[in-house]
Amino acid sequence: MRISRTLIAGALLIAAWPATAVAQGYQVQPMLTTIAPSGPKARVSMIIKNSGAVPISLEMTPFRATVNEAGAATRVDEEKDVLVYPAQTSIDPGKEQTVQIRYIGDPALTEARMYGVRVSQLPVSAPGMATATSSSGAATDVKVSFNFLSHIIVSPEDAKAVLAVEDVGRAPNGDLMLRITNSGAGIAVLTASDVRLTDAAGKRSELKPEDFKIGDFSAFMPRQTRRATIAAKDLTGLTGPIKPVLTVQ
């Protein structure tokens, strides 16, 4: 008896958000882009390149993304607002496929929304993993597929993010707890943000983006408040009340 078993490998790190994502066998770009809710700018072309040595078969599924206060994202399939063509394709080695993505939802949006497309590779046998043995002794085909998530911000031209950050105290372990509010109608992506801390004596400290913990999803939605933390080790040398300043690049 032979049992087919599939391992799904997620190929996206939201915190990094590269311009082009690469997994075993293919590349996808862009990984993040902004389009308009109507008109000729309400579309984007996704380029998928087969950089492997064998043909690949892919399926593209549109979704809408939201994020909670802790920075955890939820993605729900959404075909009413986003049109993807083709929805499925096969690409030969060394070739590219252009996928057209168009927003067809409410053209009169007053606040930005985030959508995206999940690029799913149909499972293929992994080298050196073609067969295995189950606990019952049955032969097993082990297959691996790689998925990408390309995110799309649909935003009115005049929708801007307006961020404010405030110190809300210290955690028991000494971490600095922050509250960040986006009072604007736009979406802010904080992957390349600068954080400057100033203490009561005027001493300043500059932090790298990776030192600023905002959860797994770096996009701040309109009218949203999120929690963030800065580790106690990154506050060394600062005393008294701390004023944080966040600069979005």
Side-chain angles (χ1 to χ4, degrees):
M1 179 180 178
R2 187 176 297 276
I3 303 171
S4 178
R5 185 174 63 188
T6 301
L7 305 178
I8 303 297
L12 175 80
L13 293 177
I14 287 295
W17 236 323
T20 302
V22 181
Q24 181 179 347
Y26 71 109
Q27 304 171 4
V28 176
Q29 63 175 333
M31 294 306 296
L32 175 66
T33 190
T34 300
I35 63 176
S38 63
K41 294 183 180 180
R43 66 181 69 187
V44 63
S45 296
M46 175 189 293
I47 307 298
I48 306 174
K49 181 178 180 180
N50 183 355
S51 55
V54 297
I56 56 173
S57 295
L58 303 171
E59 181 177 51
M60 280 63 69
T61 306
F63 62 82
R64 181 171 177 182
T66 57
V67 59
N68 64 18
E69 185 184 47
T74 299
R75 300 174 182 87
V76 178
D77 290 356
E78 176 58 82
E79 296 185 351
K80 184 177 68 173
D81 288 353
V82 180
L83 177 66
V84 179
Y85 181 82
Q88 293 184 338
T89 188
S90 294
I91 310 175
D92 290 330
K95 301 297 184 181
E96 294 182 351
Q97 170 72 58
T98 298
V99 177
Q100 300 297 335
I101 305 167
R102 182 174 179 83
Y103 174 73
I104 56 174
D106 182 4
L109 291 182
T110 57
E111 293 184 349
R113 296 178 181 177
M114 179 164 282
Y115 295 87
V117 174
R118 181 183 300 105
V119 182
S120 303
Q121 183 181 354
L122 299 183
V124 296
S125 295
M129 298 176 60
T131 59
T133 303
S134 68
S135 57
S136 64
T140 303
D141 285 331
V142 180
K143 298 180 182 295
V144 177
S145 69
F146 294 89
N147 296 340
F148 283 116
L149 300 175
S150 176
H151 289 79
I152 301 167
I153 297 173
V154 179
S155 179
E157 185 176 358
D158 60 350
K160 307 298 181 184
V162 181
L163 295 180
V165 56
E166 59 179 316
D167 175 358
V168 294
R170 297 291 185 99
N173 65 356
D175 289 354
L176 177 65
M177 298 183 295
L178 304 174
R179 178 166 51 239
I180 303 173
T181 300
N182 178 11
S183 60
I187 292 176
V189 179
L190 304 189
T191 51
S193 302
D194 292 327
V195 182
R196 184 177 71 247
L197 304 177
T198 305
D199 69 6
K203 184 177 180 180
R204 292 184 176 183
S205 177
E206 303 284 344
L207 299 183
K208 300 177 182 179
E210 57 266 28
D211 298 326
F212 185 55
K213 308 303 181 184
I214 57 174
D216 296 330
F217 202 72
S218 64
F220 274 62
M221 301 301 180
R223 322 299 179 189
Q224 182 178 55
T225 297
R226 296 260 296 274
R227 301 190 301 267
T229 59
I230 296 174
K233 66 179 180 61
D234 296 318
L235 305 174
T236 303
L238 300 179
T239 59
I242 294 176
K243 179 182 178 181
V245 176
L246 175 65
T247 302
V248 180
Q249 297 181 1

